Amino acid sequence: MTSETITAEAAGTWKLGDLSVNRIGFGAMRLTGSAAFHLGTPSDRNRSVTVLRRALELGVNHIDTAAFYFSSLRSANELINSALAPYPDDLVIVTKVGPHRDYTGEWGTSARPDQLRGQVEENLRQLGRDHLDVVNLRRMRQDSIAEHFGALAELREAGLIRHLGISGVEPRHLAEAQAIAPVVCVQNQYGLHSPDAGADAMLRMCGEQGIAFVPFFAIAGEGGAQGSSGSEDDEIRAVARAHEATPAQVRLAWTLQQGPHVLAIPGTGNPDHLAANVAAGALRLTADELARLGAAYRQAG
């Protein structure tokens, strides 16, 4: 399952609006260091650039990033720009706005609706683009997202954004956003590590409406921004052994097999892990394995 010959095409495709992407993409969060944000130690710049270029060689055409993905020495957007510009025509770069980090790396107050244009323009500047393919509004505990999403919808009408998505939301927020403008993707935490009835409902709702569901931390699980703890459920290990795969590959394969509309954006700064993640798109779990993992998923709660 770690063959360098397996490409992202093996996972199949889905559309973000009118933009077709392979269902295995790449998350840029871990490019900047040994852990995300200001955690861990900064990455080796050349290695991060190599990972990005290798991702495209392996058929990845969907990269998830944000201006607030930076460490003390590295910026994910700057790395993407330096490594990949001029960008291939089929490369879809998805960014997110809402959260805010100051120059020290500390988290600040999330953006008001009138501040979102500045965040969009910062992503444009860092990436060297004249428009953003997809922008996700990351909900930051607000009860209603209407005002924030409406501000992004105005930027979409102005041509700065092609498509809109939402992140960290409940089903009611999807309905709220759709009353304002089309939603092409929902990005929520989801994976074998933590059963969540709300996330299950959102996954089903997106499938019914043809909207991409894009889980984050599908591999890292409860480790989140710090990365995977390395501890695995016995059932996951057993399935991995049966396929001569890694537990991380099983987690990704299980996620992708929750529906054809489910995408994956595993992140890494390691070229070997990148190849293994992409290869997971070719792993097909049996009905029995899916049932066993599903039972373990439900019991985890």
Side-chain angles (χ1 to χ4, degrees):
M1 286 307 304
T2 58
S3 171
E4 295 273 338
T5 64
I6 298 176
T7 67
E9 285 87 348
T13 62
W14 190 258
K15 282 195 170 183
L16 297 172
D18 60 346
L19 303 172
S20 181
V21 296
N22 293 321
R23 293 177 61 216
I24 281 277
F26 178 80
M29 179 185 288
R30 298 296 297 276
L31 281 177
T32 64
S34 61
F37 308 126
H38 58 293
L39 308 171
T41 57
S43 64
D44 177 83
R45 190 176 190 282
N46 290 334
R47 190 187 199 203
S48 294
V49 167
T50 296
V51 167
L52 281 164
R53 290 175 176 165
R54 183 57 180 152
L56 266 62
E57 291 172 357
L58 290 172
V60 169
N61 59 3
H62 168 207
I63 295 178
D64 179 83
T65 187
F68 55 85
Y69 287 175
F70 64 87
S71 66
S72 58
L73 295 178
R74 305 280 175 258
S75 156
N77 281 354
E78 185 277 328
L79 288 166
I80 291 168
N81 190 346
S82 297
L84 305 181
Y87 301 109
D89 291 341
D90 68 338
L91 178 62
V92 176
I93 299 178
V94 179
T95 57
K96 65 184 67 64
V97 295
H100 169 70
R101 295 173 69 208
D102 64 26
Y103 70 94
T104 69
E106 294 302 314
W107 293 101
T109 303
S110 58
R112 302 187 308 268
D114 64 308
Q115 295 174 319
L116 291 176
R117 184 183 183 106
Q119 291 194 345
V120 167
E121 290 176 345
E122 181 65 8
N123 278 284
L124 288 168
R125 183 189 67 79
Q126 292 178 2
L127 291 166
R129 304 290 298 269
D130 60 6
H131 75 280
L132 298 175
D133 297 323
V134 182
V135 173
N136 285 316
L137 171 66
R138 172 69 178 179
R139 184 175 75 96
M140 300 297 289
R141 295 179 295 278
Q142 61 263 45
D143 183 63
S144 169
I145 64 170
E147 193 173 357
H148 286 78
F149 194 78
L152 291 182
E154 291 178 1
L155 298 179
R156 175 176 171 268
E157 290 297 320
L160 297 183
I161 300 170
R162 189 163 181 172
H163 297 296
L164 296 173
I166 49 180
S167 176
V169 294
E170 301 171 12
R172 63 189 175 90
H173 298 117
L174 175 56
E176 189 176 36
Q178 287 178 305
I180 299 169
V183 174
V184 302
C185 58
V186 173
Q187 190 180 101
N188 276 10
Q189 184 166 351
Y190 183 80
L192 272 170
H193 59 282
S194 180
D196 184 329
D200 290 335
M202 181 64 81
L203 184 150
R204 290 192 301 271
M205 184 181 297
C206 287
E208 292 166 357
Q209 300 182 30
I211 297 169
F213 183 78
V214 190
F216 58 84
F217 296 152
I219 295 177
E222 295 177 351
Q226 290 278 16
S228 174
S229 65
S231 61
E232 292 293 351
D233 180 271
D234 289 342
E235 201 66 71
I236 295 176
R237 290 188 181 278
V239 173
R241 286 193 298 270
H243 289 272
E244 297 184 348
T246 66
Q249 288 175 317
V250 170
R251 286 177 176 271
L252 286 173
W254 179 86
T255 301
L256 287 169
Q257 285 183 242
Q258 299 309 299
H261 65 297
V262 180
L263 310 184
I265 48 170
T268 183
N270 183 313
D272 294 331
H273 291 171
L274 168 69
N277 290 342
V278 171
L283 176 56
R284 301 293 185 265
L285 304 178
T286 67
D288 176 67
E289 288 167 341
L290 288 170
R292 285 157 48 200
L293 291 172
Y297 166 75
R298 291 185 294 273
Q299 290 171 6

